Structures are given as structure tokens and as C-alpha cells.
Amino acid sequence: MATCQPNSPAASHPLIATFNRAGQGQVFAFFDRLDPDSRDRLLAQAAEIDLAEIARLTATLLTPGANTGTDLLGLAPAPYEPRPENGGDPTAWAAARAAGETALRDGRVAAFTVAGGQGTRLGYDGPKGTFPVTPVQRKTLFQVFAEKILAAGRRFGRTPRWFIMTSHANHEATETFFATHNFFGLNPERVHCFRQGRMPAVGLDGKILLEAPDAIALSPDGHGGALRALERSGALDRMAADGADTISYFQVDNPLVRCLDAEFIGWHLLRGSALSSKMVVKSGPEEKVGHFCVLGGRTVVIEYSEPAMQPKLPEKNPDGSLRFRAGSIAIHLLDREFVRRMARGGNIALPFHRADKQIVCLDSAGNPVKPTKPNGVKFEQFVFDALPFAQNPIVIETSRADDFSPVKNAAGPDSPATCRADQLRQFARWLRAAGVAIATDATGLPPFDLEISPLFATDQETFAAAWEKLSPKPKIEPGLYLG
Ligand code: UTP
């Protein structure tokens, strides 16, 4: 890699000297050829990087022989609260619901969407939240969530604030999208977008990569970066000033999510939990979700991709059910001050994980490299790694059909097509439960498109009440929209 000449601009800059000392001088290999604006841009990016952190991650995650896997000795499935229909205590669920409704009426809950991902699998050009998902109206993911938040406000008399974590790449487009759509009826002063942090990508040798002569290959620091970003952006202070102490965390890709779920909120508050999570029973050993487990007396999520997990996936209970069955669907409640403690770090910081990727970058001569196999590593934090640090963490069961159908891939499983079908099944179920005849196939899928707006109903119960009041009743036919 090129080095700078003794009296060149690069040689005299203190930040560049620090990079040189850390063995990362290649970041400035082309500095002397850049115009002043480009130099400033590169220096500003370099100033974001914690070189000591990169050195530590290189030593722990990249060095050959370093143990990158988790020691799963003694790993056991985490306990969870089953739903009443699966043997849970109906009285406890009713108490949770009442407590959650009180919290919503008291304005103790803020909605929080993580939307800083790159969405590479979907391959959609734009922030994922602007992707249209509903069957008839083609509402975007952001509009669906906005309407769910509005609906909660109408029901409980207080509209929660909504925080949205973006990335550097999609922040402006996200803000513009909301402004163009009048925030879908929400008060713009109660919708807050903020950027998450970034981490540099490194080569397999730990050297920070450039994506252009004046740009470091930077990428979002993972959804776990949410904890630091919530603190840094002032979101936690804003919540505190408003009396909100509970953060309802959900991902941008899941339009079925019950983003302000009274039962879940109630369980979280009644148990004094700092971090609560929802689980679904895994559809089979091969389903690609993380697993709620207990390791060394602490609740943890172990990813499906964790090599040491592989032999455990098919293990069965005596009744034939999967032993590691509690799948994580990335829906959490976080106590505001727990997030603050985690964000401030000290000895309770989230770990980074290594993700090997194909990273478009420059070689040492400045030529573009378009790799066909992983040539580098990105570092990401995962929000569920906060679990072992949380007081009284609980996991509750949710019904997959009413909470989880993510849009991850362009086609196949977890795609726009499967998500659309899951929405249609939900609408058909609600109609049937309200006594309306609607034909479906064996999977519950109706033969035509229809749609129920969150502003009409957000669950089976609110649907039955709204339907009852509706007069005259609409015909159940293709394109039916209840809004
Ligand atoms: P995914 O793990 O599905 O990643 O994110 P992704 O980047 O969106 O998609 P791929 O893997 O490139 O296809 C799960 C959730 O976490 C958010 C995403 O926006 C999504 O809501 N996320 C992920 C962040 O907010 N920041 C990140 O750095 C990563």
C-alpha cells in the first residue's frame, strides 16, 4: 500500500499519524491526491473510528486460532410464559393485559423501530420502511406502523412517541418520506428519526478498507447499536421528560407486529423486567431464528448460525417436541434506564460479532475490487446481547400468525409474497371470528385480496367490535378495504 512522502499533507496531520502508529496508515494512502473537501471528508470519517476498539476486535475475532464461537457447555432452553391457549395461566395473562393498558393510558410507552439495516436480501432501492406491503392499498411498512400507533392513541387516549433508528445511508430519504406523507397523520413533533453509529469494514488481516480514495468502507453497527444511538441522540432524555419508561422495540420489516401490545407490556412491568422478549415455537429445527436459552444462569439468545448450536437443534423432549423451541422474533420491551446504563458502557457493553462479507473496496493501487467471495469483515452488535445484563428478563409466547411475518428476501420464505398471504390470512380469521362467511383454502388463505386498516381494527377483538358497529355491512368481495 502507498505511503505518504515526508513533507506531504498526510505526513503532518496528527490524526493520520495516529492511524500510522496503529498500523492503519493505508486509510490515507491517496490523501495527498485529494482536493481539500475530500480530505476533510476522509478525516471526519476517520475521526469516528475508535482505533483501540478495532485493534481489540482484530485480536479477538480475526486472529487465526482466536475462539470466535460460544462455549455452550450446560446450555438449556430458556423458560417462557406460554399463552393461555397453550397451557398458560389465563388469570396472569388478564392481569398483564390490564397493567399494560394502564401503562398505555398513562403514556409510559414509546414505540421504537430499528430501520438502519441495509436490506440487501430484499434488494429494494430505498429505506425498507418505504416498501409497500399491504395487499390492496399497497401501504408501506412505515404507514402500517404509523396507523398502529395512531390506533393505540385513539384507544388509550395518549399517542406514544415514535422513535426510528435510521442509518447514514437512509436517514435523509426516511425523513423526506415522512414529511412528504404528512407523517401519516401523526404529530410530526412526536416522530423522531436518528442515525445509528457506523463501524469500518476491515480486510481479513484487520486493515480498515477504503471504498473510495476519500471514503472509508463504513457500515451500520448492527441493531445493537440502537442502545448507544438512543442515548446519544437524546431519545432517552426526551422519553424521560415525557414520563415514558418503557421502549417497545420492533424491526422495520414486520408489518404484523403488535407494536404496542398491552399484554406484553403488562408482563414486562409486573415482573420488573429490564428487557422482555417475545418468542414463537419454532416451526422446525431448521427455522432460521435465534434461540432463547439459559447459559450460566443467564438468559441469552443463541443464533441458529452458531456452529456449537448445530448438534442441539434436533434435540427432542420426551413428548417429541423440540427441546430448543423458543424462537426469537426480535420483539422486545426495554426499560429506558437499563438502555442508558448499557449505552454508557463501562463493564456492561455489548460485544461485537464478526460478519464475513463481500466488500466492494479499493486495492492497494487504488483499483476497485468487486469480490465474489467474502474478502472482509463487518462488526455488528446485536440487541439481544443485552439480555444477560438485564434484571428479571422474561420471555413470553406470542401467536406467530398475529405478530410475525417479516419481509427479508425478494422471493421465497419471508418475502413480500409470504407476508401478503399472512396478512390476508389474518384478515380472513378476524372476519370469520366475527361471524362473517369467507372461503379460504386449507391454510386459511382467502382466494382474493382484501385489507383491514389498523385504523379500523388492530386485533380480533377490536375487529369484532368495529364490525358490529358497521352499518350497512360491506360485501365480502375482491378488493374489500376496511379503513
Ligand atoms: P436484518 O438482520 O434483517 O438486516 O435486520 P438488514 O440489514 O435489514 O437486511 P439484510 O441482512 O442486509 O438483508 C433486522 C432489523 O434490524 C435493523 C434492520 O433495519 C431490521 O429492522 N438493523 C439491522 C438496524 O437497524 N441496523 C443495523 O445495523 C442492522
Side-chain angles (χ1 to χ4, degrees):
M1 174 111 354
T3 49
C4 53
Q5 299 304 309
N7 293 320
S8 71
S12 58
H13 197 286
L15 184 64
I16 301 177
T18 313
F19 271 66
N20 283 331
R21 279 198 300 278
Q24 298 286 7
Q26 78 287 347
V27 166
F28 295 99
F30 312 107
F31 191 79
D32 290 352
R33 307 187 209 153
L34 300 177
D35 63 40
D37 284 351
S38 303
R39 284 183 185 168
D40 288 348
R41 203 162 36 244
L42 183 60
L43 285 166
Q45 288 189 350
E48 270 183 48
I49 295 173
D50 179 344
L51 287 171
E53 186 166 67
I54 299 301
R56 187 173 50 75
L57 294 175
T58 302
T60 51
L61 297 178
L62 263 68
T63 308
N67 181 11
T68 53
T70 312
D71 180 0
L72 299 189
L73 197 68
L75 188 79
Y80 63 85
E81 294 296 334
R83 290 201 53 77
E85 60 270 25
N86 294 330
D89 174 3
T91 319
W93 279 84
R97 181 179 168 152
E101 289 183 349
T102 304
L104 286 163
R105 268 193 290 276
D106 291 347
R108 289 180 62 183
V109 188
F112 176 42
T113 309
V114 285
Q118 294 174 301
T120 35
R121 283 170 287 171
L122 183 60
Y124 169 67
D125 189 19
K128 214 188 219 185
T130 67
F131 185 77
V133 277
T134 67
V136 175
Q137 300 273 307
R138 309 297 296 143
K139 288 181 190 171
T140 60
L141 286 153
F142 280 141
Q143 182 171 359
V144 173
F145 304 137
E147 292 185 354
K148 289 187 178 190
I149 293 167
L150 271 173
R154 290 184 189 168
R155 183 154 178 212
F156 298 107
R158 296 274 286 267
T159 307
R161 282 189 191 272
W162 185 16
F163 296 87
I164 301 166
M165 184 172 81
T166 60
S167 64
H168 283 69
N170 70 22
H171 182 81
E172 270 145 33
T174 303
E175 288 205 316
T176 305
F177 182 75
F178 274 95
T180 316
H181 292 89
N182 288 325
F183 292 78
F184 301 105
L186 288 164
N187 177 351
E189 285 172 13
R190 293 180 67 82
V191 180
H192 313 277
C193 295
F194 59 89
R195 291 179 183 83
Q196 70 176 104
R198 300 190 281 191
M199 286 290 283
V202 300
L204 297 169
D205 55 0
K207 298 280 182 198
I208 295 170
L209 298 173
L210 286 178
E211 67 182 19
D214 63 348
I216 296 170
L218 291 166
S219 53
D221 56 1
H223 44 68
L227 305 185
R228 299 202 276 199
L230 277 165
E231 157 84 339
R232 202 178 41 228
S233 65
L236 299 180
D237 291 336
R238 217 186 267 269
M239 289 176 203
D242 229 17
D245 58 4
T246 302
I247 303 170
S248 183
Y249 170 109
F250 53 93
Q251 299 193 335
V252 74
D253 52 27
N254 176 21
L256 279 196
V257 65
R258 300 164 70 107
C259 25
L260 295 152
D261 179 351
E263 285 172 333
F264 187 32
I265 294 165
W267 276 111
H268 171 80
L269 293 174
L270 292 174
R271 287 287 181 86
S273 164
L275 172 48
S276 304
S277 311
K278 284 186 181 172
M279 60 71 74
V280 294
V281 174
K282 281 187 55 170
S283 56
E286 68 294 331
E287 189 184 5
K288 293 184 171 167
V289 290
H291 304 80
F292 289 106
C293 301
V294 176
L295 188 62
R298 303 249 166 212
T299 306
V300 292
V301 169
I302 305 290
E303 280 287 39
Y304 62 87
S305 49
E306 172 67 51
M309 189 73 208
Q310 299 307 315
K312 300 184 182 292
L313 295 181
E315 286 180 15
K316 296 271 170 65
N317 292 315
D319 67 359
S321 61
L322 277 183
R323 186 157 174 258
F324 290 92
R325 63 206 303 231
S328 171
I329 52 172
I331 303 175
H332 304 284
L333 290 166
L334 295 120
D335 174 73
R336 186 194 67 226
E337 292 311 307
F338 170 65
V339 173
R340 207 189 291 279
R341 282 196 295 282
M342 290 299 302
R344 289 190 177 165
N347 54 0
I348 58 164
L350 294 185
F352 277 94
H353 295 256
R354 159 187 183 157
D356 292 33
K357 303 266 180 180
Q358 294 169 29
I359 298 162
V360 176
C361 59
L362 299 184
D363 67 14
S364 55
N367 300 313
V369 179
K370 292 218 172 89
T372 49
K373 57 180 185 55
N375 62 327
V377 171
K378 292 185 179 179
F379 297 114
E380 293 190 343
Q381 291 180 323
F382 298 154
V383 76
F384 52 70
D385 279 331
L387 267 171
F389 302 103
Q391 291 281 314
N392 309 323
I394 58 157
V395 180
I396 71 155
E397 185 183 17
T398 189
S399 144
R400 180 192 291 263
D402 286 317
D403 232 346
F404 186 58
S405 185
V407 177
K408 298 273 186 203
N409 305 306
D414 296 339
S415 64
T418 57
C419 180
R420 179 179 148 279
D422 286 338
Q423 292 173 69
L424 288 171
R425 288 189 187 95
Q426 184 182 57
F427 302 147
R429 267 197 318 279
W430 292 356
L431 280 160
R432 278 229 175 116
V436 181
I438 176 164
T440 62
D441 69 9
T443 71
L445 185 66
F448 53 78
D449 284 344
L450 74 154
E451 184 171 331
I452 300 170
S453 163
L455 296 174
F456 186 84
T458 47
D459 54 26
Q460 188 167 302
E461 200 176 277
T462 49
F463 180 79
W467 180 260
E468 167 94 21
K469 282 198 217 123
L470 205 61
S471 174
K473 304 277 190 258
K475 207 163 151 218
I476 306 302
E477 59 186 359
L480 171 70
Y481 175 64
L482 295 170

